[in-house]
Amino acid sequence: MQESRVYAPVAMFVYNRLSNTRNTFEHLKKNLYADQTALYIFSDGGKDERSRKEVQKVRKYLRTVSGFKEIHLVERECNYYLERNVIEGIHEVIGRYGRVIVLEDDIATSPWFLKYMNDALEFYKEDKKVMHIAGFTNLHLENKGDTYFTPHMSGYGWATWSDRWKHFRHYSNREETLAGLSPEELERIEYDGAFPCLRSLDRRPIPWDICWELTIYKQKGLCLTPTRSLVRNTGIYSGTHFRHYKILGRYNYDRPFYDREMRVNSREIKADPEIEELYKEAFRDHGMRYTLLGKIARYFYLRFIKKSYK
């Protein structure tokens, strides 16, 4: 590998979780090529007095971060909210470099994560059907080589190019988002109901990740995905937009990252029907495997609490 190679920048999005943020940076700086990587940190502002105090703690820590080729810290003056912070941050970085690696503040990476991302970005730069490079897999595959292709987008550490991201659109309502998609296509997107992602189209703002998922689908694109995850989401049980208590069950995707190199090799750019079938089981109950207490709590929530809000 040539020493003069230019490595893709990392866009990191953080908010108010100091412990998670510190853990994310400590893992990232141990990556091969970290010292040759430009890092852009987008720190969102607090939305109330309590969150603003936590944001300041995070920013104090961010000013001590080292171990990267360049560090650019962008401190939002107000609360942009996740969608605006992520979308505008990606636009800014990808506009300068033509490619970007994206991380949030709760993603612990394997030491091989940056190498895998850069190798994939270079290997598939001319193959426009490949729109997204994932660092996470919902599955754990032992007999499919190091990578596979799927239309499903994983946002737990990922990368893309400017000529793919230019198709991204942050939709404002359900009707606009689903325009042109047939009922059969909607069933495929939701894996016959196992992955009810389209429910999030009723949220305001609509989450950026479902917009990117549908952008990829509408462009007939695919996502290169490792057969073993190179990242671990450490904020599953403490997130702003996702929270679950361990006593109620185990999140099936909460597994250690793979601590070995994953190689990017030539393979046919198409989805594997066998893997797509495996996704249906993986997506069941959003990846949660409930305890008995969790099943009882979920029943009462669906039967009485959620129903009362309709």
Side-chain angles (χ1 to χ4, degrees):
M1 190 170 294
Q2 298 180 356
E3 293 297 325
S4 60
R5 179 177 178 181
V6 177
Y7 296 94
V10 171
M12 175 83 73
F13 299 92
V14 307
Y15 184 39
N16 66 349
R17 295 182 292 176
L18 177 57
S19 178
N20 284 46
T21 300
R22 182 186 289 114
N23 185 60
T24 295
F25 278 104
E26 288 303 312
H27 279 85
L28 186 61
K29 71 192 298 183
K30 294 176 183 177
N31 263 254
L32 184 65
Y33 306 144
D35 62 347
Q36 300 176 63
T37 299
L39 175 63
Y40 287 77
I41 309 168
F42 296 89
S43 170
D44 202 5
K47 58 185 176 182
D48 53 36
E49 189 60 29
R50 180 177 179 181
S51 62
R52 281 190 285 270
K53 289 181 179 179
E54 297 304 313
V55 166
Q56 288 307 312
K57 293 178 184 178
V58 171
R59 289 179 177 178
K60 182 179 180 180
Y61 163 73
L62 292 175
R63 297 183 189 112
T64 71
V65 170
S66 62
F68 301 90
K69 181 181 179 181
E70 304 170 15
I71 299 176
H72 306 267
L73 176 57
V74 179
E75 298 179 351
R76 306 298 194 190
E77 295 183 1
C78 59
N79 183 250
Y80 271 36
Y81 197 73
L82 179 64
E83 271 59 50
R84 182 184 174 192
N85 195 30
V86 169
I87 294 168
E88 291 191 12
I90 291 175
H91 278 316
E92 179 178 337
V93 177
I94 211 169
R96 295 183 186 182
Y97 293 85
R99 56 183 66 180
V100 66
I101 300 169
V102 182
L103 287 169
E104 293 184 33
D105 63 358
D106 54 4
I107 304 299
T109 54
S110 160
W112 298 98
F113 171 78
L114 288 180
K115 183 180 189 302
Y116 164 80
M117 286 290 168
N118 279 283
D119 287 351
L121 285 167
E122 187 64 23
F123 194 91
Y124 288 104
K125 64 182 179 182
E126 303 299 336
D127 293 301
K128 303 299 175 64
K129 189 173 183 179
V130 183
M131 295 184 65
H132 177 99
I133 310 297
F136 173 82
T137 177
N138 298 76
L139 307 170
H140 186 80
L141 304 171
E142 299 286 353
N143 60 345
K144 293 290 185 178
D146 280 3
T147 62
Y148 64 94
F149 286 104
T150 175
H152 171 62
M153 182 281 301
S154 166
Y156 291 172
W158 59 280
T160 193
W161 305 260
S162 57
D163 59 359
R164 278 71 149 184
W165 183 254
K166 71 179 182 180
H167 298 291
F168 174 83
R169 186 173 178 183
H170 191 209
Y171 297 104
S172 58
N173 57 66
R174 173 178 285 271
E175 292 71 26
E176 175 189 31
T177 308
L178 300 182
L181 295 174
S182 68
E184 292 75 21
E185 288 176 310
L186 298 182
E187 286 186 13
R188 285 197 294 271
I189 291 168
E190 293 201 308
Y191 286 84
D192 297 332
F195 179 51
C197 59
L198 299 181
R199 294 178 185 175
S200 61
L201 298 179
D202 296 322
R203 290 168 54 183
R204 294 294 178 271
I206 294 176
W208 71 267
D209 51 357
I210 184 60
C211 293
W212 183 224
E213 175 108 11
L214 289 169
T215 295
I216 293 169
Y217 189 87
K218 289 181 177 182
Q219 293 296 317
K220 296 179 171 42
L222 290 171
C223 308
L224 180 74
T225 307
T227 53
R228 282 148 290 190
S229 186
L230 290 171
V231 302
R232 183 177 191 175
N233 188 322
T234 61
I236 287 175
Y237 303 102
S238 62
T240 300
H241 301 96
F242 180 92
R243 185 181 294 272
H244 187 81
Y245 299 98
K246 293 182 179 180
I247 194 174
L248 300 179
R250 177 179 60 85
Y251 194 54
N252 197 38
Y253 310 147
D254 183 19
R255 62 175 74 99
F257 55 66
Y258 189 63
D259 200 11
R260 297 181 185 177
E261 181 178 3
M262 300 295 284
R263 298 186 180 277
V264 178
N265 298 313
S266 179
R267 63 185 308 128
E268 188 175 2
I269 303 175
K270 69 175 185 178
D272 184 325
E274 182 182 350
I275 290 177
E276 293 305 296
E277 284 299 314
L278 292 174
Y279 265 108
K280 294 180 183 179
E281 172 59 22
F283 283 139
R284 180 170 57 86
D285 291 335
H286 302 280
M288 288 306 307
R289 300 300 177 253
Y290 291 98
T291 62
L292 177 59
L293 179 60
K295 291 178 180 179
I296 294 172
R298 185 167 184 264
Y299 170 79
F300 276 94
Y301 170 75
L302 295 175
R303 180 69 175 82
F304 301 106
I305 299 176
K306 185 176 181 180
K307 187 176 181 180
S308 68
Y309 286 109
K310 293 183 178 180

